[in-house]
Amino acid sequence: MDKLIDKARLSDWITALADWEVFAPALEDGVWTFKAAGEAVSLGHTNVKQPPKDFAFPQREIYFSFEQVKGEPPRLTQKLPAEAKRVVFGVRPCDGRAVPRMDRVFNDPQFPDAYYQARRNGLAYVGLACNRPVAPTCFCKSVGGSPVSSEGMDVLLTDLGDRYFVQAVTKTGEALVAAADKLFVKASPADKKALEKTHADAEAQPQRAIADAAGAAKKLKANFDSPLWETLAQGCIGCGICTFLCPTCHCFDINDEVTGTAPMKGNRVRTWDNCQFPDFTMHTSGHNPRETLGSRLRQRVCHKFQYFHENYGMLQCTGCGRCVSECPVGIDIVNVVNKVTENVA
Protein backbone atom coordinates (compact mmCIF):
# COMPACT_ATOMS: atom_id res chain seq x y z
CA MET A 1 0.00 0.00 0.00
CA ASP A 2 1.92 3.05 -1.29
CA LYS A 3 0.31 6.43 -0.69
CA LEU A 4 1.11 10.07 -0.14
CA ILE A 5 0.03 12.59 2.45
CA ASP A 6 0.68 16.33 2.48
CA LYS A 7 2.80 17.36 5.44
CA ALA A 8 0.16 19.94 6.30
CA ARG A 9 -2.34 17.08 6.88
CA LEU A 10 -0.14 15.09 9.28
CA SER A 11 -1.89 16.50 12.32
CA ASP A 12 -5.26 15.64 10.75
CA TRP A 13 -4.09 12.03 10.41
CA ILE A 14 -3.16 11.96 14.07
CA THR A 15 -6.51 13.49 15.02
CA ALA A 16 -8.25 10.73 13.06
CA LEU A 17 -6.57 8.08 15.20
CA ALA A 18 -9.10 8.67 17.94
CA ASP A 19 -8.91 5.07 19.17
CA TRP A 20 -5.16 5.36 19.69
CA GLU A 21 -2.94 7.11 22.18
CA VAL A 22 -0.48 8.91 19.90
CA PHE A 23 3.10 9.97 20.68
CA ALA A 24 5.47 12.03 18.55
CA PRO A 25 8.84 13.78 18.96
CA ALA A 26 8.71 17.11 20.78
CA LEU A 27 11.53 19.55 21.49
CA GLU A 28 11.67 20.18 25.22
CA ASP A 29 14.49 22.24 26.77
CA GLY A 30 16.55 21.68 23.64
CA VAL A 31 16.11 17.88 23.74
CA TRP A 32 13.97 15.80 21.37
CA THR A 33 11.82 13.34 23.26
CA PHE A 34 8.64 11.36 22.63
CA LYS A 35 5.59 13.06 24.12
CA ALA A 36 1.83 12.69 23.81
CA ALA A 37 0.99 14.27 20.48
CA GLY A 38 -0.75 17.63 20.58
CA GLU A 39 -2.80 19.37 17.92
CA ALA A 40 0.24 20.40 15.83
CA VAL A 41 2.78 17.68 15.06
CA SER A 42 5.90 18.14 12.96
CA LEU A 43 8.50 15.49 12.19
CA GLY A 44 11.40 17.89 11.76
CA HIS A 45 13.44 16.20 14.46
CA THR A 46 16.95 14.76 14.27
CA ASN A 47 16.63 11.77 16.60
CA VAL A 48 15.16 11.59 20.06
CA LYS A 49 17.61 11.49 22.96
CA GLN A 50 16.02 8.37 24.44
CA PRO A 51 14.85 5.58 22.12
CA PRO A 52 11.25 4.36 22.25
CA LYS A 53 12.06 1.07 24.01
CA ASP A 54 10.43 2.19 27.25
CA PHE A 55 6.97 2.05 25.63
CA ALA A 56 7.21 -1.76 25.90
CA PHE A 57 9.96 -2.03 28.52
CA PRO A 58 9.63 0.84 31.02
CA GLN A 59 12.53 1.84 33.22
CA ARG A 60 10.55 0.87 36.31
CA GLU A 61 7.49 -1.32 36.67
CA ILE A 62 5.73 -3.19 39.47
CA TYR A 63 5.37 -6.96 39.07
CA PHE A 64 3.06 -7.45 42.02
CA SER A 65 2.23 -6.08 45.44
CA PHE A 66 2.56 -8.22 48.56
CA GLU A 67 1.13 -8.14 52.06
CA GLN A 68 1.89 -10.44 54.96
CA VAL A 69 -0.66 -10.38 57.78
CA LYS A 70 0.42 -12.34 60.84
CA GLY A 71 -1.19 -15.78 60.93
CA GLU A 72 -2.37 -15.57 57.30
CA PRO A 73 -0.79 -16.70 54.02
CA PRO A 74 0.93 -13.95 51.97
CA ARG A 75 -1.35 -12.00 49.66
CA LEU A 76 0.10 -11.38 46.21
CA THR A 77 -1.62 -9.11 43.68
CA GLN A 78 -0.23 -9.14 40.15
CA LYS A 79 0.09 -5.73 38.44
CA LEU A 80 -0.07 -6.81 34.82
CA PRO A 81 -0.42 -3.69 32.62
CA ALA A 82 -3.68 -3.28 30.74
CA GLU A 83 -3.31 -3.59 26.98
CA ALA A 84 -3.72 -0.24 25.25
CA LYS A 85 -3.54 0.94 21.65
CA ARG A 86 -0.56 3.28 21.36
CA VAL A 87 1.27 4.47 18.26
CA VAL A 88 4.64 6.22 18.16
CA PHE A 89 5.33 8.55 15.22
CA GLY A 90 8.76 9.59 13.97
CA VAL A 91 10.74 6.47 14.93
CA ARG A 92 14.07 6.39 13.10
CA PRO A 93 15.14 3.18 11.27
CA CYS A 94 17.89 2.34 13.79
CA ASP A 95 15.30 2.37 16.59
CA GLY A 96 12.84 0.44 14.43
CA ARG A 97 15.39 -2.34 13.98
CA ALA A 98 15.66 -2.53 17.76
CA VAL A 99 12.02 -3.67 17.99
CA PRO A 100 12.46 -7.23 16.62
CA ARG A 101 15.62 -7.60 18.74
CA MET A 102 13.74 -6.75 21.90
CA ASP A 103 10.89 -9.02 20.77
CA ARG A 104 13.32 -11.93 20.42
CA VAL A 105 14.35 -11.50 24.05
CA PHE A 106 11.01 -10.87 25.70
CA ASN A 107 8.78 -12.94 23.39
CA ASP A 108 10.99 -16.00 23.60
CA PRO A 109 8.57 -18.98 23.49
CA GLN A 110 10.48 -20.65 26.32
CA PHE A 111 10.48 -17.59 28.58
CA PRO A 112 7.69 -15.23 27.49
CA ASP A 113 7.51 -12.00 29.45
CA ALA A 114 3.84 -11.25 30.12
CA TYR A 115 4.56 -7.65 31.14
CA TYR A 116 6.44 -6.83 27.93
CA GLN A 117 3.87 -8.65 25.81
CA ALA A 118 0.93 -6.80 27.38
CA ARG A 119 2.48 -3.47 26.36
CA ARG A 120 3.85 -4.64 23.01
CA ASN A 121 0.56 -6.17 21.80
CA GLY A 122 -1.12 -2.81 21.34
CA LEU A 123 1.95 -0.85 20.27
CA ALA A 124 2.61 0.40 16.73
CA TYR A 125 5.47 2.34 15.19
CA VAL A 126 5.29 4.89 12.37
CA GLY A 127 8.87 5.35 11.20
CA LEU A 128 10.60 8.18 9.38
CA ALA A 129 13.41 7.36 6.93
CA CYS A 130 16.67 9.29 7.34
CA ASN A 131 17.26 11.11 4.05
CA ARG A 132 20.63 12.07 5.50
CA PRO A 133 22.41 10.96 8.70
CA VAL A 134 20.78 12.60 11.72
CA ALA A 135 24.10 12.66 13.61
CA PRO A 136 27.79 12.34 12.75
CA THR A 137 27.94 9.25 14.98
CA CYS A 138 25.44 7.19 12.92
CA PHE A 139 26.69 3.82 11.65
CA CYS A 140 23.52 1.80 10.87
CA LYS A 141 24.88 0.57 7.53
CA SER A 142 27.85 -1.07 9.25
CA VAL A 143 25.59 -3.33 11.29
CA GLY A 144 23.34 -4.52 8.48
CA GLY A 145 20.82 -1.70 8.66
CA SER A 146 19.81 1.10 6.36
CA PRO A 147 18.74 4.73 6.77
CA VAL A 148 15.53 3.76 4.95
CA SER A 149 14.89 0.41 6.64
CA SER A 150 11.30 -0.49 7.48
CA GLU A 151 12.31 -3.36 9.81
CA GLY A 152 10.30 -3.19 13.02
CA MET A 153 7.94 -0.53 11.64
CA ASP A 154 4.22 -0.71 10.94
CA VAL A 155 4.40 2.28 8.60
CA LEU A 156 7.43 3.94 7.01
CA LEU A 157 7.28 7.60 5.98
CA THR A 158 9.79 9.16 3.60
CA ASP A 159 10.13 12.92 3.32
CA LEU A 160 9.59 14.06 -0.27
CA GLY A 161 9.62 17.79 0.40
CA ASP A 162 6.07 19.02 0.98
CA ARG A 163 4.64 15.50 1.42
CA TYR A 164 5.42 12.08 2.85
CA PHE A 165 5.54 8.86 0.88
CA VAL A 166 3.61 6.40 3.06
CA GLN A 167 4.34 2.65 3.03
CA ALA A 168 2.20 0.44 5.26
CA VAL A 169 4.42 -2.46 6.32
CA THR A 170 2.04 -4.52 8.48
CA LYS A 171 -1.70 -5.11 8.83
CA THR A 172 -1.63 -2.73 11.78
CA GLY A 173 0.02 -0.15 9.54
CA GLU A 174 -2.71 -0.61 6.93
CA ALA A 175 -5.32 -0.01 9.63
CA LEU A 176 -3.55 3.19 10.75
CA VAL A 177 -3.66 4.51 7.20
CA ALA A 178 -7.23 3.33 6.61
CA ALA A 179 -8.38 5.24 9.69
CA ALA A 180 -7.78 8.48 7.76
CA ASP A 181 -8.09 7.17 4.22
CA LYS A 182 -9.46 10.43 2.77
CA LEU A 183 -6.24 12.26 3.66
CA PHE A 184 -4.10 10.04 1.45
CA VAL A 185 -3.72 9.85 -2.34
CA LYS A 186 -2.41 6.92 -4.33
CA ALA A 187 1.27 7.15 -5.27
CA SER A 188 1.88 7.65 -8.99
CA PRO A 189 4.77 6.10 -10.97
CA ALA A 190 6.54 9.49 -10.76
CA ASP A 191 6.12 9.49 -6.98
CA LYS A 192 7.63 6.00 -6.79
CA LYS A 193 10.61 7.14 -8.87
CA ALA A 194 11.07 10.08 -6.52
CA LEU A 195 11.02 7.64 -3.60
CA GLU A 196 13.61 5.38 -5.21
CA LYS A 197 15.95 8.31 -5.84
CA THR A 198 15.51 9.64 -2.30
CA HIS A 199 16.28 6.22 -0.83
CA ALA A 200 19.27 5.71 -3.13
CA ASP A 201 20.66 9.12 -2.15
CA ALA A 202 20.13 8.29 1.53
CA GLU A 203 21.96 4.97 1.17
CA ALA A 204 24.86 6.79 -0.51
CA GLN A 205 25.38 9.19 2.40
CA PRO A 206 28.72 8.54 4.16
CA GLN A 207 28.72 7.07 7.66
CA ARG A 208 31.27 5.87 10.14
CA ALA A 209 32.22 2.25 9.55
CA ILE A 210 33.04 -0.92 11.43
CA ALA A 211 35.66 -2.64 9.31
CA ASP A 212 34.30 -6.19 9.65
CA ALA A 213 31.00 -6.27 11.55
CA ALA A 214 30.05 -9.62 9.99
CA GLY A 215 33.24 -11.22 11.27
CA ALA A 216 33.27 -9.41 14.60
CA ALA A 217 31.73 -12.25 16.62
CA LYS A 218 34.51 -14.68 15.75
CA LYS A 219 37.26 -12.10 16.16
CA LEU A 220 35.99 -10.79 19.50
CA LYS A 221 35.85 -14.34 20.81
CA ALA A 222 39.45 -14.88 19.69
CA ASN A 223 40.56 -11.68 21.45
CA PHE A 224 38.63 -12.23 24.71
CA ASP A 225 41.80 -11.88 26.81
CA SER A 226 43.29 -8.96 24.89
CA PRO A 227 44.88 -6.22 27.06
CA LEU A 228 43.21 -3.74 24.71
CA TRP A 229 39.99 -4.01 26.75
CA GLU A 230 41.61 -2.38 29.79
CA THR A 231 43.37 0.23 27.65
CA LEU A 232 40.20 1.25 25.81
CA ALA A 233 38.11 1.36 29.01
CA GLN A 234 40.51 3.48 31.07
CA GLY A 235 38.42 6.65 30.85
CA CYS A 236 35.09 5.01 31.82
CA ILE A 237 33.44 6.60 34.86
CA GLY A 238 30.66 3.98 35.07
CA CYS A 239 27.82 6.46 34.50
CA GLY A 240 25.90 3.90 32.43
CA ILE A 241 24.51 6.35 29.87
CA CYS A 242 25.73 4.08 27.03
CA THR A 243 23.30 1.32 27.98
CA PHE A 244 20.45 3.42 29.36
CA LEU A 245 20.19 5.23 25.99
CA CYS A 246 20.74 2.06 23.94
CA PRO A 247 17.60 0.95 22.03
CA THR A 248 18.42 -2.75 22.58
CA CYS A 249 19.97 -3.00 26.07
CA HIS A 250 17.52 -4.91 28.23
CA CYS A 251 19.22 -6.06 31.46
CA PHE A 252 17.14 -5.51 34.56
CA ASP A 253 17.18 -5.96 38.31
CA ILE A 254 14.36 -7.05 40.64
CA ASN A 255 13.88 -5.69 44.14
CA ASP A 256 11.27 -5.75 46.87
CA GLU A 257 10.32 -2.24 47.98
CA VAL A 258 8.74 -2.30 51.44
CA THR A 259 6.06 0.34 51.98
CA GLY A 260 4.85 -0.78 55.42
CA THR A 261 5.85 -3.04 58.30
CA ALA A 262 2.64 -3.61 60.28
CA PRO A 263 1.56 -5.57 58.38
CA MET A 264 4.57 -6.12 56.11
CA LYS A 265 3.66 -4.94 52.62
CA GLY A 266 5.22 -3.53 49.49
CA ASN A 267 5.92 -4.10 45.82
CA ARG A 268 8.19 -6.33 43.76
CA VAL A 269 9.72 -3.98 41.19
CA ARG A 270 11.70 -4.44 37.98
CA THR A 271 14.13 -1.66 37.03
CA TRP A 272 16.70 -1.32 34.26
CA ASP A 273 20.16 -2.45 35.26
CA ASN A 274 23.51 -1.69 33.70
CA CYS A 275 26.49 -3.91 32.91
CA GLN A 276 28.83 -0.91 33.27
CA PHE A 277 28.07 -0.60 36.99
CA PRO A 278 30.76 -2.16 39.22
CA ASP A 279 28.27 -4.24 41.23
CA PHE A 280 26.28 -5.54 38.24
CA THR A 281 27.78 -9.03 38.60
CA MET A 282 28.70 -8.85 42.28
CA HIS A 283 28.05 -12.19 43.99
CA THR A 284 26.68 -12.48 47.51
CA SER A 285 30.06 -13.98 48.44
CA GLY A 286 31.73 -10.70 47.51
CA HIS A 287 33.39 -12.17 44.43
CA ASN A 288 32.98 -10.07 41.29
CA PRO A 289 33.82 -11.78 37.98
CA ARG A 290 33.85 -8.39 36.21
CA GLU A 291 35.64 -6.20 38.70
CA THR A 292 37.67 -4.19 36.15
CA LEU A 293 36.64 -1.48 33.68
CA GLY A 294 37.96 -3.55 30.80
CA SER A 295 35.92 -6.62 31.69
CA ARG A 296 32.75 -4.53 31.84
CA LEU A 297 33.43 -2.81 28.50
CA ARG A 298 34.13 -6.23 26.99
CA GLN A 299 30.78 -7.50 28.26
CA ARG A 300 28.87 -4.61 26.65
CA VAL A 301 30.64 -4.90 23.31
CA CYS A 302 30.63 -8.70 23.14
CA HIS A 303 26.94 -8.83 24.08
CA LYS A 304 26.18 -6.63 21.06
CA PHE A 305 28.53 -8.23 18.54
CA GLN A 306 29.14 -11.80 19.73
CA TYR A 307 26.77 -13.28 22.33
CA PHE A 308 23.54 -11.95 20.79
CA HIS A 309 24.75 -13.11 17.37
CA GLU A 310 25.45 -16.59 18.76
CA ASN A 311 22.02 -16.77 20.41
CA TYR A 312 19.81 -15.17 17.77
CA GLY A 313 21.83 -14.99 14.54
CA MET A 314 21.84 -11.19 14.39
CA LEU A 315 23.87 -8.32 15.75
CA GLN A 316 22.23 -6.58 18.69
CA CYS A 317 23.69 -3.15 17.85
CA THR A 318 21.61 -1.09 15.39
CA GLY A 319 24.15 1.70 14.88
CA CYS A 320 22.15 4.60 16.35
CA GLY A 321 25.39 6.08 17.75
CA ARG A 322 23.89 7.33 21.03
CA CYS A 323 26.48 5.51 23.15
CA VAL A 324 29.17 7.36 21.18
CA SER A 325 27.66 10.84 21.09
CA GLU A 326 26.53 10.81 24.74
CA CYS A 327 29.56 9.22 26.41
CA PRO A 328 31.11 11.93 28.61
CA VAL A 329 34.62 10.51 28.21
CA GLY A 330 34.54 9.68 24.50
CA ILE A 331 34.45 5.87 24.56
CA ASP A 332 33.49 4.94 21.00
CA ILE A 333 32.05 1.48 20.30
CA VAL A 334 33.00 1.71 16.61
CA ASN A 335 36.59 2.41 17.55
CA VAL A 336 36.56 -0.34 20.21
CA VAL A 337 35.30 -3.02 17.82
CA ASN A 338 37.75 -1.97 15.12
CA LYS A 339 40.70 -1.90 17.51
CA VAL A 340 39.97 -5.25 19.15
CA THR A 341 39.22 -7.07 15.88
CA GLU A 342 41.97 -5.65 13.69
CA ASN A 343 44.83 -7.98 12.90
CA VAL A 344 42.72 -11.00 13.94
CA ALA A 345 42.45 -13.66 11.24
Side-chain angles (χ1 to χ4, degrees):
M1 182 194 294
D2 295 339
K3 296 194 174 186
L4 294 165
I5 186 171
D6 287 342
K7 284 185 176 178
R9 306 304 302 273
L10 181 62
S11 295
D12 294 333
W13 182 13
I14 289 174
T15 300
L17 300 175
D19 294 338
W20 293 76
E21 190 178 1
V22 183
F23 297 84
L27 190 61
E28 189 173 84
D29 297 329
V31 176
W32 285 104
T33 185
F34 287 115
K35 293 287 185 182
E39 294 182 356
V41 172
S42 170
L43 299 182
H45 60 297
T46 51
N47 201 2
V48 291
K49 177 78 74 177
Q50 188 160 317
K53 72 176 177 182
D54 61 343
F55 283 100
F57 177 50
Q59 190 167 5
R60 179 184 185 278
E61 70 177 340
I62 297 173
Y63 274 171
F64 58 82
S65 62
F66 57 84
E67 183 173 1
Q68 178 67 75
V69 177
K70 188 176 181 180
E72 299 181 7
R75 298 173 188 165
L76 304 179
T77 304
Q78 190 175 25
K79 303 291 185 180
L80 200 61
E83 292 191 13
K85 293 173 68 174
R86 297 189 295 174
V87 55
V88 187
F89 274 72
V91 175
R92 292 295 185 176
C94 52
D95 290 340
R97 294 188 74 233
V99 173
R101 285 153 176 77
M102 295 291 281
D103 287 349
R104 291 296 295 269
V105 174
F106 290 107
N107 286 339
D108 187 309
Q110 191 174 3
F111 306 105
D113 187 296
Y115 296 83
Y116 179 88
Q117 289 180 339
R119 290 188 171 86
R120 181 73 180 92
N121 286 344
L123 188 56
Y125 298 99
V126 176
L128 178 63
C130 300
N131 289 5
R132 59 187 61 83
V134 296
T137 51
C138 294
F139 59 99
C140 65
K141 292 190 294 185
S142 264
V143 289
S146 160
V148 299
S149 170
S150 63
E151 185 179 355
M153 307 291 193
D154 294 288
V155 177
L156 179 66
L157 306 180
T158 300
D159 189 335
L160 294 183
D162 58 354
R163 59 216 167 122
Y164 291 113
F165 197 103
V166 182
Q167 295 171 289
V169 181
T170 65
K171 292 292 184 185
T172 298
E174 291 177 3
L176 289 170
V177 173
D181 192 51
K182 293 181 179 178
L183 299 177
F184 297 87
V185 297
K186 187 178 179 181
S188 69
D191 296 324
K192 293 181 181 179
K193 278 191 175 181
L195 177 76
E196 291 173 1
K197 184 178 186 311
T198 300
H199 282 189
D201 290 346
E203 291 276 11
Q205 292 285 329
Q207 290 186 353
R208 304 184 70 231
I210 293 176
D212 183 16
K218 182 180 177 182
K219 293 179 178 179
L220 289 170
K221 189 173 186 177
N223 242 353
F224 185 85
D225 293 320
S226 170
L228 278 171
W229 293 113
E230 294 299 336
T231 302
L232 294 167
Q234 279 182 350
C236 181
I237 57 175
C239 68
I241 197 168
C242 51
T243 71
F244 282 146
L245 295 184
C246 174
T248 62
C249 275
H250 53 266
C251 289
F252 58 85
D253 200 359
I254 298 174
N255 291 285
D256 286 347
E257 296 180 352
V258 175
T259 58
T261 55
M264 176 69 74
K265 58 184 178 179
N267 299 305
R268 180 155 294 182
V269 179
R270 170 164 74 179
T271 54
W272 294 355
D273 205 347
N274 198 306
C275 61
Q276 301 308 288
F277 290 164
D279 61 353
F280 179 73
T281 49
M282 180 72 77
H283 296 181
T284 53
S285 65
H287 171 64
N288 190 347
R290 297 189 202 127
E291 63 180 359
T292 67
L293 293 173
S295 63
R296 295 194 283 273
L297 175 63
R298 180 180 60 196
Q299 168 61 25
R300 179 166 73 89
V301 173
C302 287
H303 193 185
K304 303 289 183 196
F305 289 88
Q306 181 190 338
Y307 310 145
F308 202 85
H309 185 270
E310 291 171 348
N311 288 331
Y312 299 111
M314 62 175 76
L315 298 179
Q316 189 190 24
C317 179
T318 62
C320 72
R322 290 185 180 89
C323 63
V324 181
S325 62
E326 302 302 325
C327 177
V329 297
I331 293 177
D332 181 338
I333 196 169
V334 174
N335 180 55
V336 171
V337 174
N338 283 337
K339 285 285 186 185
V340 178
T341 59
E342 68 180 357
N343 302 320
V344 180

